[in-house]
Amino acid sequence: MLNRPQKLRKGDRVAIVSLSKGILGEEFCSHNLEIGVKRLREYGLEPVFMENTLKGITYLKDHPEARAADLKQAFMDDSIAGILCAIGGDDTYRLLPYLMEDAAFVHAVKKHPKLFAGFSDTTVNHLMFYKLGLSTFYGPNFICDLGEIAADMLPYTRNAFESYLEGSKYREIRSSELWYEERTDFSRAAMGTERTAHRERRGYELLQGPEVFSGELLGGCLESIYDILSGTRYDDEKTVCDKYGIFPEKEVWKGKVLFIETCEEKPAPSFMEKELEALKERGVFEAVSGVIVGKPQDETYYEEYQEVLRKVIDNERLPVVYNVNFGHATPRCALQYGAMVRVDMKERKIEYL
């Protein structure tokens, strides 16, 4: 059983941490910081920037121990109720030795669970917490969502962020009526401009298998998972992640609902095939009860990805639901690790049980 943290309440202090890329400390991101602080306070929450969170890209790249120290401090500080990741990146695995070998940190995670949220490279942090028995949220983060430079947060994403708050009735997830192109201009000059929006024409798509299935949620960003399994991005990543057992063994996947999505790199279908093959080699598709797949950003390779999924999984009985709003495509929902869900394609919804 996973420990489930309390939701956030008005008056709570929320730590902002840069566990991957340190862009929140750069001048070009200062307007996102201002907007995010304003929106958190409108919810009655008080943002707390940890000691190293705003030290910028170069410092945090060179000092993974500083990033780890911030996460440790956020768990050790009893006045902190929740933790939001600033953004993703690509090397948060470098924090693992400083965290997994710190008995006080491990004890704090197990005995004093706190809400933790983010997506993308944060997949590695989520899987670490899953290993330590904490249920976390693959969903809205600080820069991309609270710091969204449109006049307001995207309504669908705002609803997902509010699932982190006490009193939320976030019981079912349906397809967004709109999807948005990724911005090309994130600058201060673009503040107040709206994203290019499109009416959702397809909604959730059942690619194969039964219309209804259930299980506990487990997954993340496909590129981050592949990096854990293959070590192709950093030479030592697979070794480090294997040492701490970050990727769950086959028996852990039994009966789970796997959720996967592709990142802003928009991997070619041939590369996605390699990523899925890596999961297949670990027996994931033999074990899970079903798969939900995120909408590709900007709908890039939309049809091609479907074909790759069918080809690699190669089991028509395993249900696969496609075009779900989570991860890098906007807007995004929030998926809670370890939460039991019922995926019902008759009603075209994902329901938390």
Side-chain angles (χ1 to χ4, degrees):
M1 286 288 293
L2 295 179
N3 288 325
R4 297 174 187 269
Q6 288 188 343
K7 298 291 186 76
L8 302 175
R9 297 174 290 183
K10 283 189 176 182
D12 277 347
R13 302 175 81 233
V14 179
I16 313 301
V17 292
S18 296
L19 303 183
S20 298
K21 203 164 187 179
I23 69 172
L24 190 57
E26 301 293 338
E27 174 58 32
F28 65 75
C29 204
S30 60
H31 54 300
N32 301 96
L33 190 153
E34 295 162 10
I35 295 168
V37 166
K38 177 177 179 289
R39 289 183 179 146
L40 273 179
R41 288 178 173 160
E42 287 171 351
Y43 281 112
L45 303 171
E46 184 57 32
V48 180
F49 295 92
M50 305 310 289
E51 181 179 353
N52 301 292
T53 296
L54 302 179
K55 289 188 176 178
I57 294 172
T58 301
Y59 181 85
L60 291 181
K61 182 73 173 177
D62 293 342
H63 295 279
E65 77 283 358
R67 291 180 263 161
D70 283 351
L71 187 58
K72 289 181 192 179
Q73 183 57 36
F75 266 94
M76 301 298 182
D77 186 341
D78 291 339
S79 75
I80 299 292
I83 303 165
L84 294 179
C85 288
I87 199 168
D90 64 12
D91 74 339
T92 196
Y93 80 93
R94 296 171 67 203
L95 280 59
L96 290 171
Y98 304 103
L99 299 171
M100 294 296 283
E101 296 184 25
D102 187 311
F105 171 75
V106 171
H107 177 81
V109 171
K110 291 182 175 182
K111 298 300 181 182
H112 305 288
K114 298 185 181 187
L115 185 139
F116 177 88
F119 66 97
S120 191
D121 188 42
T122 307
T123 295
V124 179
N125 309 119
H126 286 303
L127 293 178
M128 176 195 74
F129 283 126
Y130 191 86
K131 175 84 174 178
L132 296 178
L134 177 64
S135 176
T136 57
F137 291 85
Y138 195 86
N141 66 25
F142 185 82
I143 293 176
C144 303
D145 302 298
L146 286 157
E148 162 62 50
I149 63 176
D152 297 296
M153 287 177 69
L154 302 176
Y156 186 92
T157 303
R158 182 179 64 238
N159 189 43
F161 175 78
E162 290 172 356
S163 73
Y164 302 161
L165 308 179
E166 187 177 62
S168 166
K169 297 180 180 178
Y170 200 71
R171 293 288 179 265
E172 62 181 38
I173 304 170
R174 295 182 183 266
S175 176
S176 173
E177 295 180 357
L178 299 173
W179 67 270
Y180 305 87
E181 294 181 18
E182 185 55 285
R183 291 183 181 276
T184 56
D185 184 358
F186 294 88
S187 70
R188 184 176 287 272
M191 284 176 63
T193 61
E194 300 300 319
R195 290 175 178 255
T196 300
H198 300 272
R199 182 68 54 185
E200 178 57 67
R201 296 181 292 111
R202 304 177 180 94
Y204 296 169
E205 291 196 73
L206 181 66
L207 299 189
Q208 60 178 43
E211 292 180 299
V212 179
F213 58 97
S214 61
E216 295 177 358
L217 290 169
L218 182 57
C221 175
L222 196 49
E223 284 65 57
S224 297
I225 291 172
Y226 184 66
D227 291 344
I228 291 171
L229 296 177
S230 69
T232 52
R233 191 180 298 264
Y234 293 101
D235 290 341
D236 63 338
E237 183 167 5
K238 183 178 187 301
T239 301
V240 171
C241 291
D242 283 350
K243 179 178 180 180
Y244 301 110
I246 296 304
F247 188 80
E249 296 295 333
K250 181 179 177 180
E251 56 267 23
V252 176
W253 290 98
K254 187 174 181 180
K256 301 295 191 295
V257 171
L258 168 68
F259 65 89
I260 48 175
E261 53 100 12
T262 49
C263 74
E264 79 285 351
E265 295 171 355
K266 301 175 181 177
S270 59
F271 189 75
M272 186 196 199
E273 186 170 339
K274 288 183 180 179
E275 297 173 320
L276 294 172
E277 287 287 0
L279 283 173
K280 189 173 186 176
E281 288 171 11
R282 295 296 291 262
V284 173
F285 297 124
E286 296 174 21
V288 297
S289 63
V291 183
I292 58 176
V293 184
K295 187 181 191 70
Q297 192 178 79
D298 297 332
E299 292 197 338
T300 304
Y301 300 124
Y302 187 94
E303 287 82 11
E304 292 90 338
Y305 284 171
Q306 294 184 47
E307 293 307 312
V308 171
L309 285 158
R310 292 188 184 99
K311 175 184 176 182
V312 175
I313 292 174
D314 192 27
N315 175 8
E316 293 180 355
R317 297 185 302 277
L318 181 65
V320 178
V321 173
Y322 188 70
N323 199 36
V324 181
N325 307 101
F326 68 93
H328 288 78
T330 49
R332 50 188 141 257
C333 69
L335 299 175
Q336 185 173 8
Y337 282 80
M340 178 65 73
V341 295
R342 183 174 187 265
V343 182
D344 186 343
M345 285 300 290
K346 295 177 182 177
E347 298 290 332
R348 298 173 71 85
K349 67 179 182 180
I350 300 168
E351 181 182 12
Y352 279 107
L353 302 178

